[in-house]
Amino acid sequence: MQLFCHYSSISSDNKMNAANNSDNVDMSNTYNSLHGITQIIKNFNKINMKEIEPTAQNINENIFEEDLSIVVDELINLNFDDLNKGYDDNTRKQHFFDYIVNNGIILQEIYDWLLNNQYYPNSIYLLGYFNYHGIVTNINKQKAFELYQIAAELKSIVAQLDLSDMYIEVEKNYDKAFELSKMLAEIGNPNAMNKLGYCYDFGIGIDTNESKAFESYKKAADLGNTNGINNLAWCYENGLGTNVNKEKAFELYKKAAELGNVSGMNSLGCCYDIGSGTDVNKQKAFELYKEAANLGNNYAQYNLALIYEKGKEIKKDIAKAIYWHKKSAEQGHEYAKKHLNILLKN
């Protein structure tokens, strides 16, 4: 059985490109984690956590308008920071819930406050975020889209970035996605630069242009966006808009992984797995796949499942292989679905 080492860089429409190497390893290179977001706006008034502790502790007993207003602004600020660093959706949501739990806040009360205070960009956007992720309410991406549109018109950068995401993934309005990404990239937004690179990479709203894709990824990477770093590594590994440089790719994947980028962890695992830009180290590959898999990366989940299924470097464990294939398949990984069906039949 061949090992499918699935790279993950950015993903919007889960496009795959398979390639074979001399070790009979099939690499389906799929772009993952498009959800990187903007630099923190310099004039954004960051709230000191100490300012909200006294009210957050008793927020369910004595709610003041300013209390929840501060909480909403803090959650937006946290989202800005996480997205600016290129954290994936699962990590962002975890930080969101950590903040809620650590401050003893009741989500229903925030949600009710948001419903009654749809006058400000932050509250409008956050209500959209609740609808998008099904927090308190049911998942309603159409409602989220409408709220993001309103907040974006009120100049909310985070709303504009999430809106450009939805134009790609939900609305399939690629021209709008490109326009928004280009506009925000031109004002120095690192997430938009990374997203603009994706547009040039796959011809989203514009003709494909490998050189411009490389340039945009590099600009995002230089500003510390870990998705940009990961995607720049992809360019060096595959000669996209630049010369092939496996060693440079390995170093960039390593940097992205060390900065907490889950896709970078999986990609670094692939490098160790097949010896791309470094020596083969199956144990390190296994550890990286496992770390990224536990953080929700479906490509890492698939790679980990294959290791358990194959049973060479790690003791064969079909139960664990089924578990991880199922996890990956639930997120739409087509190869995982096929392997899961085969294992279940057997």
Side-chain angles (χ1 to χ4, degrees):
M1 185 186 70
Q2 294 177 326
L3 175 66
F4 285 76
C5 181
H6 277 212
Y7 281 80
S8 48
S9 300
I10 351 178
S11 91
S12 175
D13 48 6
N14 293 328
K15 296 185 179 180
M16 295 185 177
N17 297 305
N20 297 319
N21 71 2
S22 59
D23 295 321
N24 247 355
V25 179
D26 280 356
M27 295 183 296
S28 291
N29 299 292
T30 308
Y31 279 69
N32 186 22
S33 282
L34 183 58
H35 294 284
I37 217 153
T38 186
Q39 64 188 43
I40 299 174
I41 305 305
K42 291 182 179 179
N43 63 354
F44 186 89
N45 295 319
K46 188 171 182 179
I47 308 297
N48 189 315
M49 288 293 291
K50 292 181 180 178
E51 294 176 4
I52 67 170
E53 286 176 357
T55 55
Q57 289 172 359
N58 299 307
I59 204 163
N60 59 318
E61 297 176 6
N62 190 13
I63 301 176
F64 295 100
E65 290 292 308
E66 60 269 22
D67 295 334
L68 284 177
S69 177
I70 290 170
V71 168
V72 168
D73 287 346
E74 271 296 314
L75 286 169
I76 298 297
N77 190 37
L78 178 64
N79 206 20
F80 264 109
D81 191 37
D82 279 359
L83 291 171
N84 182 56
K85 293 172 182 175
Y87 290 146
D88 66 293
D89 250 8
N90 290 328
T91 303
R92 289 168 54 198
K93 283 189 285 186
Q94 185 60 55
H95 290 171
F96 173 92
F97 286 115
D98 286 345
Y99 174 92
I100 296 298
V101 171
N102 291 338
N103 287 282
I105 299 167
I106 297 173
L107 279 170
Q108 183 67 54
E109 289 179 346
I110 298 179
Y111 181 73
D112 291 343
W113 187 89
L114 291 172
L115 288 175
N116 294 317
N117 288 273
Q118 289 292 286
Y119 314 114
Y120 317 104
N122 279 358
S123 59
I124 295 169
Y125 166 77
L126 195 58
L127 183 61
Y129 186 86
F130 273 57
N131 276 272
Y132 187 91
H133 293 287
I135 300 171
V136 178
T137 187
N138 294 326
I139 291 176
N140 188 335
K141 292 190 176 182
Q142 183 57 42
K143 182 65 175 177
F145 177 74
E146 293 168 1
L147 289 165
Y148 287 165
Q149 278 187 312
I150 296 170
E153 289 171 0
L154 294 172
K155 309 303 181 184
S156 166
I157 301 287
V158 65
Q160 290 170 343
L161 287 163
D162 273 359
L163 188 61
S164 66
D165 237 8
M166 292 194 75
Y167 276 133
I168 294 174
E169 296 179 356
V170 180
E171 297 295 314
K172 309 300 181 186
N173 190 333
Y174 300 135
D175 290 340
K176 282 284 189 181
F178 175 77
E179 289 170 10
L180 264 178
S181 298
K182 188 172 185 292
M183 178 191 74
L184 293 169
E186 287 174 349
I187 63 172
N189 188 286
N191 173 255
M193 291 172 184
N194 179 62
K195 221 175 291 187
L196 184 62
Y198 169 79
C199 290
Y200 282 121
D201 198 347
F202 286 115
I204 301 299
I206 192 70
D207 293 336
T208 57
N209 189 318
E210 292 185 356
S211 295
K212 287 189 176 181
F214 174 81
E215 291 170 7
S216 294
Y217 289 150
K218 189 175 187 305
K219 287 178 181 178
D222 289 343
L223 289 173
N225 183 279
T226 60
N227 286 325
I229 296 169
N230 193 49
N231 297 330
L232 185 62
W234 163 266
C235 291
Y236 280 114
E237 182 170 16
N238 296 279
L240 182 75
T242 188
N243 295 325
V244 172
N245 188 330
K246 303 284 189 181
E247 290 74 22
K248 179 72 172 176
F250 170 77
E251 291 301 324
L252 286 167
Y253 283 138
K254 186 178 180 183
K255 182 178 180 181
E258 289 173 346
L259 290 171
N261 187 282
V262 181
S263 295
M265 295 173 194
N266 177 65
S267 298
L268 184 63
C270 286
C271 290
Y272 282 120
D273 204 345
I274 64 175
S276 179
T278 188
D279 295 332
V280 171
N281 189 324
K282 297 291 186 178
Q283 183 60 37
K284 283 188 176 180
F286 172 76
E287 291 168 359
L288 284 160
Y289 290 154
K290 189 173 182 181
E291 183 178 4
N294 282 319
L295 290 171
N297 184 278
N298 63 331
Y299 302 100
Q301 290 168 347
Y302 174 72
N303 290 331
L304 183 62
L306 283 180
I307 290 178
Y308 282 122
E309 183 181 343
K310 189 176 181 182
K312 283 193 174 180
E313 292 76 22
I314 301 298
K315 183 179 178 180
K316 190 171 184 177
D317 191 327
I318 297 301
K320 287 184 178 178
I322 289 173
Y323 174 83
W324 287 113
H325 275 315
K326 185 177 180 182
K327 284 286 187 183
S328 182
E330 287 171 350
Q331 296 192 69
H333 199 296
E334 293 302 323
Y335 284 110
K337 292 177 184 177
K338 292 177 182 178
H339 277 260
L340 180 62
N341 288 334
I342 292 170
L343 289 176
L344 291 175
K345 285 180 182 178
N346 292 337

